[in-house]
Amino acid sequence: MLPTARIPAALIGPDKILWPVDIFGKSRTRMTHAFAQPLSALPSGRLAGRVMAPGDKSISHRALMLGALAIGETTISGLLESGDIMATAAAMRAFGATVERGTDDIWRVNGLGTGGLLEPEGIIDFANAGTGVRLTIGIAGAHPFATTFVGDASLSRRPMARVLDPLRDMGAEVIARSGDRLPLTIRGADPMAPIEYRVPMPSAQVKSAVLLAGLNIDGVTTVIEPVATRDHTERMLKGFGADITTEHANGGTIIRLVGRPELTPQRVTVPADPSSSAFLFVAGLLVPDSEVTVENVLLNPSRIGLIVTLKEMGADLAIENERQSGGETIGDVRVRASRLNGVHVPAERAPSMIDEYPVLAVAAAFAEGDTTMEGLAELRVKESDRLAAVARGLEANGVTCREGDDSLVVTGGRVRGGGTVTTHLDHRIAMSFLIMGLAAEQAVSVDDSAIIGTSFPDFVEQLKRLGADFADGAEAA
Ligand code: S3P
């Protein structure tokens, strides 16, 4: 066993979240969100320095999964070591793959080949991880054995029909709780039928679940996306040697995958997550006199909607040292404190910044004038109903906003702060409102910061290193 010093602090300790497996995969316990940990962000002085957000969550999930589906050893450096990703690592082990972290911090996955997974002996607990469970349902649903999935209270509320429907079309059998929610059991047919699937909502998770199922089905699986979403699955499948093509037409894509490829193990380098970096950008823009450089940020065109929007708002934000790494564009993003103006964010931009709206809403609260965000229906089915959670959080801190069915208008200006925000087991709600507290007139508290460990375990430490102030407990009134 590796020394415990190598385990990120946020993954251990009696006052932390207990993860579904120990990090080495030797034991397995039911995920418990042990204790809510209230935390306050205090109005802070200048933030300055260079930081790096952890590895990209989307790429980390996919690297573990494709590693498990390739024969031989895939190495992954820069893997995000967070609750969501540890749940995927545990799931891949449950299907028979070996997933280990070496003393060199490099993760090694020894896979079993497409169609080579084994029936798990127990249930698979995905805790809070929507991407992890939906993509793994795609993989498991094309194997002729039963797999049972569970999750935490947040994940158990989220819709799974979006991935179960196409899998049923391919021949899988499903027993799920009413409304197609977790817990659920899926069993693939033998053989499964390849389908042509038009994704009804803009969702990279649904696209990916269908493609991952298609890996174990003879023939060509086709996915039609009327609106393009993040393309990490397609890029990585190509990198692992799959026969996959993408055609771009009218803002959408048609993806064709030839089933049953032999995937070749790869050396994957995971760049820093732009969705986690987003909190650092906004902190640097809002706290007076700050200058912050966020290094190694993934700049895939399907992920940069927030950068485009912040620049439109007048942010002093520059991309430096842009380069290619592992088939992706990455760069360092330098921000300086800026006076922002309200803007209109068009609905078509939503897929390229879907996880960034909570922190954009915080930036908008400090901007001059109204910021209107449209096309936000998908925010209602994230880790929380994010549209409602953001609106309530803004109101609790004295910010005027108007919540529509799928839109939000934030009236910017002075931000009083002083509120306590309910996070609803949603890491991005917790982080967004802590950023608000660094720049508001009074502290902002969140009822639970432990959930941040699902995606950005050292969020608070990174910000403290830049000069931010936090206090344990709920300081705010
Ligand atoms: C993700 C896709 C997005 C995003 C999620 C990660 C992925 O979800 O919100 O955090 O890795 O494919 P949808 O595709 O359902 O919008």
Side-chain angles (χ1 to χ4, degrees), residues 5 8 12 40 43 56 144 225 253 271 281 288 297 306 309 333 376 409 431:
I12 53 171
S40 301
D56 186 66
E225 283 195 297
T253 52
F281 304 160
V297 182
L306 178 76
T309 306
V333 178
L376 307 187
V409 181
M431 289 186 275

Side-chain angles (χ1 to χ4, degrees), residues 380-404:
R380 299 243 179 239
V381 290
K382 294 294 177 190
E383 285 81 333
S384 66
D385 173 346
R386 271 191 187 153
L387 197 38
V390 166
R392 298 298 84 74
L394 292 171
E395 288 160 4
N397 289 288
V399 178
T400 303
C401 65
R402 206 164 60 245
E403 177 193 352

Side-chain angles (χ1 to χ4, degrees), residues 26 45 56 72 81 217 227 246 257 424:
K26 301 279 190 260
D56 186 66
E81 294 178 347
I217 302 176
V227 182
T246 301
L257 171 76
H424 303 283

Side-chain angles (χ1 to χ4, degrees), residues 23-25 64 89 92-93 97-101 107-110:
I23 197 165
F24 311 106
L64 290 170
M92 295 306 116
R93 291 186 189 112
T98 307
V99 183
E100 279 166 354
R101 184 172 67 162
W107 287 76
R108 292 181 173 76
V109 183
N110 267 283

Side-chain angles (χ1 to χ4, degrees), residues 114-179:
T114 49
L117 299 187
L118 308 173
E119 182 172 56
E121 284 172 14
I123 56 168
I124 298 197
D125 187 349
F126 263 103
N128 194 253
T131 306
V133 78
R134 292 203 178 107
L135 271 55
T136 305
I137 286 173
I139 295 172
H143 282 76
F145 52 65
T147 311
T148 298
F149 295 94
V150 298
D152 71 3
S154 155
L155 196 59
S156 303
R157 279 192 293 269
R158 299 180 67 184
M160 294 298 144
R162 51 182 58 201
V163 289
L164 298 177
D165 287 343
L167 284 156
R168 288 179 176 117
D169 292 349
M170 292 167 162
E173 260 179 85
V174 180
I175 299 177
R177 202 161 62 83
S178 46

Side-chain angles (χ1 to χ4, degrees), residues 57-58 62 131 162 202-205 230 354-355 382 428:
K57 186 153 76 69
S58 296
R62 288 159 172 82
T131 306
R162 51 182 58 201
S203 171
Q205 294 179 355
R230 67 190 68 190
I354 193 66
D355 292 334
K382 294 294 177 190
R428 297 199 203 278

Side-chain angles (χ1 to χ4, degrees), residues 202 207 224-230 246-254 302 348 351:
K207 165 177 68 179
I224 302 167
E225 283 195 297
V227 182
T229 62
R230 67 190 68 190
T246 301
E247 203 182 299
H248 299 279
N250 307 322
T253 52
I254 304 175
S302 65
E348 19 343 325

